[in-house]
Amino acid sequence: MNFLTLDLQFFAGEKTEKATPKKRQDARKKGQAAKSQDVNTAVNLLAVFIFFMFAGEFLLDHILGVFKHSFQNYLVVEMTENNLNSIMIEILKELTSILGPIMLVALIAGAVANYFQIGLLFSPEAVQMKLEKINPIQGFKRIFSLRALVELFKSVLKISFVGIVTFTVLWKRIDEILLLSHKSAGAALAAIASLTVKMGLIASIALLFLASLDYLYQKYDFEKSIRMSKQDIKDEFKNIEGDPLIKSKIKQRQRETAMRRMMQEVPKADVVITNPTHFAVALKYDEQKMDAPYVVAKGADYVAQKIKFIAKENDVITVENRPLARALYEQTDIGETIPEQFFKAVAEILAFVYRIKNKI
């Protein structure tokens, strides 16, 4: 018996179940999500090289302009403290006009790649200082963990794959590369720039392919890390049920659902009996369902006014009878037939209602 109990406890504690929505939400609050940094890197590189492909001439003109302006003006200017300051500011402005667009493209590409992986996520808890992060023992364990070996394998695979791809591009244009020494400086630079952009684009696409595989692995690893045991799910359910705030929200939603369902029944009623300002009880008589009239909706104060409004909108006749409305409200529930002592009074009202409907 003891061995059986131990076995049951072991299997109950084994993390074999998918994470619940609450578990996922808690993990997200801690900054934990399925994300591959390689996707960000690959998308960044691809976006930057595409930018180079379309804006190459613009960048080249600006770079040549910086060199031309420097050689024509700065070399003949007497170097003083004021001159040096103004020259540095001008050069920084020119470099900003060159590097700014590149950095902006990289920033947008990184943000887009990050958004498509994990959406909008801001977790203050993830950036908090924790002593365990600088614990040498924990660091040693991370270095020699299975995850570290996987990361090492991924790095070797990326270097090899990208290296083979770029070498193939170079090999196909080896004849053009060997003839660079016979070309003018401008033509040689243009050829090198074209080759660099092409290599960058192909390497980025290759890296993006590997990154997509890495993202699938990261997603699998994340799902595995947040798995729960059957006991974890039971404990979470108990905690949720015991939370007064969640309980009140559940009850509120149940009340709202019941209210909507009740109001949907008001148009089907035969009559609404009211105490003009405080109570309203909607009755229906269907001899195929019940032997006596039954309550389809009831309410006090605001709910009573709403029942009367819906009744008016749907041409349900309203009859004022203060003592009867109050008694029905207090002594009947929705879906129940009216008590026997009210049969005569209600029958008279229904007869009155049917006469009016027949006249109409």
Side-chain angles (χ1 to χ4, degrees), residues 25-65:
Q25 188 178 5
D26 291 342
R28 203 170 164 79
K29 286 179 181 177
K30 296 176 183 177
Q32 298 173 2
K35 176 187 173 183
S36 171
Q37 192 59 42
D38 291 346
V39 172
N40 289 11
T41 305
V43 172
N44 264 331
L45 284 174
L46 184 61
V48 168
F49 278 108
I50 289 174
F51 177 75
F52 284 156
M53 185 171 65
F54 288 103
E57 291 185 8
F58 166 80
L59 295 175
L60 180 62
D61 290 342
H62 271 65
I63 292 170
L64 292 176

Side-chain angles (χ1 to χ4, degrees), residues 47 91 112 116 134 157 162 167 188 196 256 258 262 283 286 360:
I91 291 175
V112 169
F116 276 104
I134 57 174
L157 182 64
V162 173
F167 177 77
T196 303
E256 289 172 355
M262 183 181 75
L283 301 178
D286 187 348
I360 295 173

Side-chain angles (χ1 to χ4, degrees), residues 151-162:
E151 292 298 325
L152 176 63
F153 173 75
K154 280 164 45 183
S155 299
V156 172
L157 182 64
K158 282 187 289 186
I159 293 169
S160 303
F161 194 67
V162 173

Side-chain angles (χ1 to χ4, degrees), residues 60 64 180 182-194:
L60 180 62
L64 292 176
L180 287 177
H182 299 287
K183 294 183 178 181
S184 64
L189 286 173
I192 292 171
S194 172

Side-chain angles (χ1 to χ4, degrees), residues 16 22 47-48 108 116 179 188 222 226 231 235 243 276 312 320 327 339 354:
T16 56
K22 185 180 183 303
V48 168
I108 294 172
F116 276 104
L179 292 174
F222 173 71
I226 62 171
Q231 188 61 42
D235 293 340
D243 190 335
K312 186 178 179 181
E320 181 182 333
Y354 294 150

Side-chain angles (χ1 to χ4, degrees), residues 82-354:
N82 293 331
N83 285 344
L84 186 61
N85 187 41
S86 61
I87 289 171
M88 288 297 296
I89 291 173
E90 287 181 18
I91 291 175
L92 285 174
K93 285 181 180 178
E94 291 172 349
L95 289 177
T96 301
S97 67
I98 297 169
L99 298 177
I102 300 172
M103 295 175 69
L104 182 62
V105 168
L107 179 65
I108 294 172
V112 169
N114 208 59
Y115 177 78
F116 276 104
Q117 287 189 88
I118 61 174
L120 292 173
L121 176 61
F122 176 71
S123 174
E125 192 173 340
V127 296
Q128 287 179 356
M129 182 63 183
K130 295 181 181 178
L131 292 176
E132 60 193 39
K133 292 182 179 179
I134 57 174
N135 187 340
I137 298 174
Q138 293 293 332
F140 187 79
K141 287 181 180 179
R142 284 195 294 269
I143 292 171
F144 293 96
S145 64
L146 178 61
R147 187 177 185 84
L149 292 175
V150 172
E151 292 298 325
L152 176 63
F153 173 75
K154 280 164 45 183
S155 299
V156 172
L157 182 64
K158 282 187 289 186
I159 293 169
S160 303
F161 194 67
V162 173
I164 290 170
V165 168
T166 51
F167 177 77
T168 304
V169 175
L170 285 171
W171 187 255
K172 284 185 177 181
R173 297 181 64 175
I174 188 67
D175 294 336
E176 184 181 346
I177 293 170
L178 293 174
L179 292 174
L180 287 177
S181 59
H182 299 287
K183 294 183 178 181
S184 64
L189 286 173
I192 292 171
S194 172
L195 183 62
T196 303
V197 170
K198 187 174 181 181
M199 287 172 57
L201 287 171
I202 294 174
S204 300
I205 293 170
L207 189 59
L208 188 60
F209 170 72
L210 292 177
S212 62
L213 298 179
D214 180 57
Y215 174 72
L216 294 176
Y217 167 74
Q218 296 294 344
K219 193 171 183 180
Y220 161 78
D221 188 55
F222 173 71
E223 291 293 332
K224 186 179 178 182
S225 68
I226 62 171
R227 278 180 190 170
M228 304 173 70
S229 65
K230 288 182 169 60
Q231 188 61 42
D232 291 336
I233 294 175
K234 288 179 181 178
D235 293 340
E236 182 185 287
F237 181 75
K238 286 179 182 177
N239 291 334
I240 291 174
E241 284 295 306
D243 190 335
L245 181 61
I246 294 176
K247 270 188 174 180
S248 65
K249 285 185 178 179
I250 291 172
K251 287 182 179 179
Q252 183 182 352
R253 287 184 181 177
Q254 289 173 342
R255 285 195 298 269
E256 289 172 355
T257 303
M259 180 68 70
R260 282 196 299 270
R261 195 180 296 118
M262 183 181 75
M263 292 302 175
Q264 288 170 359
E265 294 296 318
V266 173
K268 303 174 186 177
D270 291 323
V271 65
V272 174
I273 301 172
T274 69
N275 171 338
T277 55
H278 295 296
F279 302 104
V281 180
L283 301 178
K284 183 173 179 61
Y285 178 55
D286 187 348
E287 57 184 7
Q288 295 180 351
K289 279 189 177 182
M290 302 220 180
D291 297 332
Y294 61 95
V295 178
V296 295
K298 70 172 188 174
D301 300 326
Y302 169 76
V303 178
Q305 298 303 321
K306 194 168 184 182
I307 290 173
K308 287 160 61 178
F309 175 77
I310 294 174
K312 186 178 179 181
E313 289 287 310
N314 291 274
D315 298 325
V316 177
I317 295 173
T318 301
V319 176
E320 181 182 333
N321 190 320
R322 295 172 182 244
L324 182 60
R326 185 182 185 92
L328 288 173
Y329 177 81
E330 292 177 348
Q331 298 181 38
T332 58
D333 287 326
I334 296 168
E336 290 184 355
T337 57
I338 62 173
E340 189 174 347
Q341 65 264 31
F342 301 124
F343 279 3
K344 184 179 178 181
V346 172
E348 291 175 355
I349 291 173
L350 287 175
F352 168 73
V353 168
Y354 294 150

